[in-house]
Amino acid sequence: MQLLAVPSKRRQGGRTQSSRALLWFLCVLAGVLGRGSGCPSVCICNGTDVDCSGRGLLYVPTLNLPPSSRALLLANNRLSTLPADAFSNSTSLELLDLSNNFLDNLPATLFHDLANLTELVLRNNSLTVLDRDLFQGLTQLRRLDLSLNGLSAVPLGLLDDLSGLTRLSLAANRLHALERAAFEPLANLQYLHLGGNPWECDCNLRDFKHWIEWLLYRGGRLDAVECTLPKDLRGRDIRGVPVEMFNYCLQLEDENGGSKGGSPPCSRGGAAQPSGSPPVADTAPAPDCVRQRYRPVSVRRAIGTVVIAGVVCGIVCIMMVAAAAYGCIYASLMAKYQRELKKRQPLMGDGDADGDPEEKQISSVA
Ligand SMILES: *[C@@H]1O[C@H](CO)[C@@H](O)[C@H](O)[C@H]1NC(C)=O
Ligand SMILES: *[C@@H]1O[C@H](CO)[C@@H](O)[C@H](O)[C@H]1NC(C)=O
Ligand SMILES: *[C@@H]1O[C@H](CO)[C@@H](O)[C@H](O)[C@H]1NC(C)=O
Ligand SMILES: *[C@@H]1O[C@H](CO)[C@@H](O)[C@H](O)[C@H]1NC(C)=O
């Protein structure tokens, strides 16, 4: 804080400015000292561009940009958090570049005032979760770069206002599946980058694969979507995985459909896909359809049931065979024993009396 008191040679006016020469990253606080509308002291401004990149900033300077400002460049700094109102004075911005920082959490309303924004770059940060309202109101957005983050999901609703988006990059994140419904608002998407994610090409990705086919059908471009799971599809590009590979998902749905109390089948959206016109809103799959992650567990359960039933049947069968065999052997042994008894002691005369109860016993065992 004391550093702030060091007078700056660069700025005139009686007010003390932060010491740009000493430590760049503390200069951020210069904004606190305030000024009328103008270029933040740590940035370089020409008519339309405000360039604050590579200044080692830990905090966003107070921004009171000239109303003509169209671009704000904050790339290559050390920003890790942003206050919700960081850009509330920057409504004229069309480009906002926050790439190569350490942002890990963005307030849901951070961009809400940037109604004219056409390009937003969040590449190479530490984002793991995005609030579903984060991009609300950014109806002019054309390019959105979220690559090189730690995103594991694209929440439903996140892209709802971005129908004008033409480029979207989600490359190099931790995505293993995407929900088709989240992407359906992107009716004008031209380029989609999904590479460098650990895709799991199971039923979970099936609906999204149908959406991909629709994207390609209307001329969109897509980079490689390589499966990491299941094992036998590792390294395969999902575009090359035949739809038939996902047929078993339909069976799973049929099986699970009954127990779930008549949820609509998920196949309808995909089947009618390449018929031309963009998907109608009502084909948005029900949440149940989209979340099929746990379906394979039920398969395993079903197989387990069959195995257990088989083992139980087998054991019962073996026991019955053993009992029958035991009965036969016992009967023949007893018969032989009686015969010998009669041979050895023909004069005792009681052989029949001994034999009868035993024979009854044998027949009851058999
Ligand atoms: C401002 O600088 C940027 C490069 O940083 C340049 O592309 C842009 O044309 C400049 N604008 C004006 C109005 O000079
Ligand atoms: C917005 O501008 C006002 C002055 O017009 C200033 O007091 C305020 O701190 C600025 N807000 C931000 C977040 O820069
Ligand atoms: C947004 O863009 C429109 C058209 O270019 C312009 O008229 C309007 O003033 C801009 N809004 C702001 C806040 O700069
Ligand atoms: C990502 O950002 C970090 C920190 O700013 C930087 O060191 C690294 O080189 C960047 N990586 C890429 C691929 O841009």
Side-chain angles (χ1 to χ4, degrees):
M1 283 302 171
Q2 278 180 331
L3 289 170
L4 288 175
V6 177
S8 163
K9 290 160 206 149
R10 284 185 65 256
R11 292 278 168 187
Q12 61 289 61
R15 304 177 112 165
T16 315
Q17 294 297 327
S18 68
S19 69
R20 178 172 171 169
L22 262 175
L23 286 171
W24 285 109
F25 62 87
L26 279 177
C27 294
V28 190
L29 298 172
V32 173
L33 300 177
R35 238 188 358 264
S37 159
C39 188
S41 60
V42 291
C43 308
I44 297 170
C45 304
N46 62 12
T48 57
D49 294 10
V50 180
D51 185 352
C52 317
S53 54
R55 302 293 197 279
L57 301 178
L58 288 169
Y59 306 96
V60 178
T62 298
L63 296 169
N64 217 344
L65 304 179
S68 57
S69 303
R70 290 193 311 154
L72 174 57
L73 312 178
L74 284 161
N76 302 307
N77 283 296
R78 308 172 68 80
L79 306 172
S80 56
T81 57
L82 297 174
D85 65 349
F87 306 119
S88 58
N89 287 344
S90 317
T91 51
S92 61
L93 286 183
E94 293 170 15
L95 163 63
L96 176 56
D97 187 349
L98 288 162
S99 57
N100 302 335
N101 279 286
F102 300 100
L103 299 170
D104 60 0
N105 190 17
L106 299 177
T109 57
L110 183 63
F111 304 125
H112 281 191
D113 299 310
L114 306 181
N116 275 2
L117 203 64
T118 58
E119 181 167 0
L120 177 57
V121 189
L122 288 163
R123 178 185 163 83
N124 192 20
N125 277 281
S126 310
L127 304 171
T128 53
V129 181
L130 297 179
D131 191 286
R132 54 163 290 168
D133 291 332
L134 186 63
F135 301 138
Q136 206 178 62
L138 301 186
T139 53
Q140 302 302 310
L141 203 63
R142 297 287 175 272
R143 295 157 176 247
L144 175 58
D145 190 345
L146 289 164
S147 59
L148 278 165
N149 278 285
L151 299 174
S152 56
V154 173
L156 270 179
L158 181 73
L159 309 172
D160 277 5
D161 280 358
L162 308 186
S163 58
L165 205 66
T166 58
R167 278 177 183 267
L168 172 61
S169 179
L170 290 163
N173 276 283
R174 293 200 204 121
L175 300 165
H176 42 70
L178 289 175
E179 298 189 19
R180 173 192 178 139
F183 286 77
E184 268 169 356
L186 304 180
N188 289 295
L189 199 65
Q190 296 296 317
Y191 298 92
L192 178 60
H193 299 276
L194 295 175
N197 282 288
W199 299 112
E200 292 177 13
C201 300
D202 57 11
C203 293
N204 224 17
L205 209 54
R206 186 187 57 123
D207 276 343
F208 188 71
K209 177 178 162 61
H210 285 304
W211 183 84
I212 284 177
E213 273 157 17
W214 172 73
L215 174 73
L216 297 173
Y217 176 80
R218 59 175 184 74
R221 304 236 196 105
L222 178 77
D223 64 343
V225 182
E226 280 188 10
C227 309
T228 52
L229 286 174
K231 252 194 208 151
D232 44 337
L233 293 182
R234 180 168 297 167
R236 289 275 300 270
D237 190 311
I238 189 171
R239 287 170 297 184
V241 176
V243 184
E244 289 71 35
M245 296 288 290
F246 293 93
N247 277 356
Y248 74 101
C249 304
L250 288 175
Q251 291 162 16
L252 294 183
E253 275 157 20
D254 288 347
E255 279 171 24
N256 290 14
S259 62
K260 276 190 178 171
S263 62
C266 307
S267 53
R268 66 199 161 115
Q273 227 8 251
S275 62
S277 54
V280 201
D282 69 16
T283 59
D288 273 359
C289 299
V290 182
R291 300 180 197 285
Q292 289 156 352
R293 172 141 296 270
Y294 298 104
R295 293 264 161 98
V297 174
S298 71
V299 178
R300 258 177 270 143
R301 224 183 285 139
I303 291 173
T305 309
V306 169
V307 168
I308 289 172
V311 166
V312 169
C313 282
I315 289 174
V316 168
C317 286
I318 289 170
M319 283 170 66
M320 285 171 70
V321 168
Y326 172 78
C328 290
I329 291 168
Y330 184 73
S332 67
L333 281 180
M334 286 314 293
K336 197 176 164 194
Y337 170 72
Q338 276 180 3
R339 251 179 276 129
E340 281 181 7
L341 213 61
K342 280 180 187 168
K343 257 187 256 165
R344 277 182 207 164
Q345 298 165 322
L347 300 179
M348 291 213 25
D350 279 344
D352 286 347
D354 283 350
D356 278 348
E358 275 169 6
E359 271 169 22
K360 272 176 203 159
Q361 215 180 327
I362 288 163
S363 63
S364 74
V365 169

